Amino acid sequence: MIAIYMEHKNGKLKKHSLELLTFAKNAFEGEITAFSVGKEVNYQESFNYGADHFVLLFTENENIHEEGIANAIKSFVKRKEFKIFIFPASNTGRDIAARVSAFLDLPLLQDIVEFKKENDNLLFKRPIVAGKAYVWEKINTERFAISVRPNVFPPEENKKEGKFEKIDVSIEEKIKLIDIKEKEEGEIDVAEAEIIVSGGRGVGGPDGFKPLKELAKVLGAAVGASRAAVDAGWIDHSHQVGQTGKTVSPKLYIACGISGALQHLAGMRTSKVIVAINKDPNAQIFEIADYGIVSDLFEIVPALTEEIKKLKGDT
Ligand SMILES: Cc1cc2nc3c(=O)[nH]c(=O)nc-3n(C[C@H](O)[C@H](O)[C@H](O)COP(=O)(O)OP(=O)(O)OC[C@H]3O[C@@H](n4cnc5c(N)ncnc54)[C@H](O)[C@@H]3O)c2cc1C
């Protein structure tokens, strides 16, 4: 049996967690039990995407640190029937995956981007060396854990008459979460976005993000950033893409004024289509870009926004 840890926000299951249900159906055989920790979760959504069971590990406490979540699910994941544990490769998911597999003494592969069956073996592909190379790996034990990169396996509807179960859990917290700072209303999280418009040092300052935000708005995209822009204090760290930021895999990544340092590429090189706008024709970002525009981003980005508005009939 397969156990899938699902993240939710205010009770709504996250898209990357629904993707895991489709991934599990395609990669493995067996019943799927989805589980979350929280007070109320819209679990019906998991049945629409292929969960056979949904277990809510119930706690009144809604703001819990990953350490507390991992403690809360300890006794549940000990159930012998679970052979395969799947987590989203989000920041939280990876953290909990590591804690749970250490606790259960399971092998763990993080950040799976592809799988294939070869001579009865299931092989998993994941990035290594900050995304510069990939490895194919096989797990030799019957019981194991993996985390799967968001936005790689699109969720497909697969309606089931699932069963719901609620189990009370107590949260042991050595680390207490004090506060969560919500983003501005309407902002899309880069880790969840299908389109990202990202800015680097080339935007020149906090105001330089304005045209990028306008483009993001017309595209329904999230705004990403390089570490240089974040370290300069031009945009919040939650937007940072890369080795020490978020790993993203959107359908479209538009890099504006970003040179393409290895640590940035580590977080976005699996994007389906990469567009780079940079004044320097020798910028490293052009090596991985599908489309490159050698020009000033302050000319190109507003022009793109206008064109897209026209196409959408917004002007
Ligand atoms: C341990 C470690 C972890 C790191 N983690 C991360 C990480 O998670 N994410 C990350 O991004 N970086 C990370 N870095 C930093 C990384 O090495 C680079 O320093 C950083 O990515 C550079 O950001 P940038 O491309 O915005 O800036 P720069 O390298 O300075 O590039 C700016 C680019 O903008 C172009 N430009 C300037 N003006 C314009 C204009 N008007 N129009 C168009 N183009 C213009 C320039 O030609 C240049 O190519 C990390 C570094 C270390 C050592």
Side-chain angles (χ1 to χ4, degrees):
M1 234 163 101
I2 303 152
I4 300 184
Y5 173 70
M6 306 201 81
E7 279 180 40
H8 65 93
K9 186 161 185 223
N10 302 327
K12 187 173 168 15
L13 292 173
K14 292 197 173 180
K15 179 173 155 275
H16 62 50
S17 293
L18 296 173
E19 289 169 4
L20 302 181
L21 295 165
T22 304
F23 169 83
K25 173 179 158 262
N26 293 334
F28 308 112
E29 280 166 18
E31 285 196 359
I32 298 174
T33 298
F35 66 101
S36 291
V37 177
K39 195 169 166 187
E40 257 176 61
V41 173
N42 179 13
Y43 58 86
Q44 193 59 43
E45 196 68 341
S46 73
F47 301 147
N48 292 341
Y49 288 88
D52 297 289
H53 309 270
F54 187 96
V55 179
L56 175 65
L57 300 169
F58 177 83
T59 165
E60 289 282 349
N61 184 355
E62 296 201 88
N63 293 338
I64 319 165
H65 187 272
E66 286 82 351
E67 188 248 354
I69 297 177
N71 284 337
I73 64 183
K74 263 184 182 174
S75 58
F76 174 69
V77 293
K78 266 202 255 172
R79 288 187 184 180
K80 289 276 180 290
E81 67 261 33
F82 297 137
K83 301 288 182 227
I84 299 165
F85 294 89
I86 309 179
F87 298 83
S90 58
N91 285 345
T92 304
R94 279 194 279 197
D95 185 314
I96 296 171
R99 291 172 195 270
V100 167
S101 35
F103 163 68
L104 294 175
D105 196 19
L106 297 180
L108 166 68
L109 288 183
Q110 297 267 31
D111 211 14
I112 304 293
V113 292
E114 207 179 321
F115 69 91
K116 63 179 175 190
K117 287 173 190 164
E118 221 172 67
N119 309 326
D120 288 340
N121 289 319
L122 190 59
L123 306 181
F124 300 103
K125 181 178 167 185
R126 64 186 185 93
I128 55 163
V129 207
K132 235 193 158 185
Y134 288 95
V135 278
W136 280 99
E137 289 165 319
K138 172 177 167 279
I139 302 174
N140 283 328
T141 56
E142 196 198 4
R143 257 186 134 208
F144 59 86
I146 53 176
S147 70
V148 176
R149 182 175 282 206
N151 287 322
V152 177
F153 302 94
E156 288 161 17
E157 272 199 35
N158 174 23
K159 283 205 165 81
K160 296 246 176 102
E161 285 282 324
K163 288 200 192 90
F164 175 71
E165 192 185 344
K166 184 173 160 187
I167 301 172
D168 286 336
V169 288
S170 57
I171 308 287
E172 278 170 50
E173 284 181 303
K174 289 191 196 115
I175 303 170
K176 181 127 191 75
L177 184 63
I178 303 296
D179 190 22
I180 296 178
K181 198 170 140 236
E182 285 286 336
K183 289 198 207 136
E184 279 171 36
E185 209 179 323
E187 247 182 52
I188 304 170
D189 185 347
V190 280
E192 307 247 314
E194 294 198 337
I195 305 177
I196 298 175
V197 180
S198 220
R201 206 191 313 262
V203 306
D207 286 347
F209 272 98
K210 277 188 189 155
L212 276 63
K213 285 180 182 168
E214 279 161 29
L215 177 59
K217 198 169 165 201
V218 297
L219 287 171
V223 176
S226 73
R227 178 162 157 181
V230 171
D231 284 354
W234 301 343
I235 190 162
D236 187 74
H237 178 261
S238 59
H239 296 263
Q240 187 180 316
V241 171
Q243 192 181 320
T244 43
K246 289 182 180 158
T247 303
V248 300
S249 236
K251 287 186 182 152
L252 174 63
Y253 190 89
I254 306 177
C256 311
I258 293 178
S259 61
L262 181 62
Q263 296 87 355
H264 187 80
L265 303 188
M268 48 63 75
R269 68 188 322 147
T270 55
S271 305
K272 310 281 176 307
V273 175
I274 298 170
V275 176
I277 306 167
N278 198 303
K279 281 204 293 200
D280 175 5
N282 299 314
Q284 216 180 326
I285 191 84
F286 289 127
E287 287 172 25
I288 63 149
D290 299 283
Y291 299 93
I293 304 171
V294 181
S295 191
D296 188 331
L297 71 92
F298 293 107
E299 285 172 26
I300 300 299
V301 173
L304 265 178
T305 308
E306 282 315 305
E307 285 306 311
I308 291 161
K309 275 188 186 166
K310 276 187 210 158
L311 283 173
K312 288 175 71 184
D314 287 357
T315 51

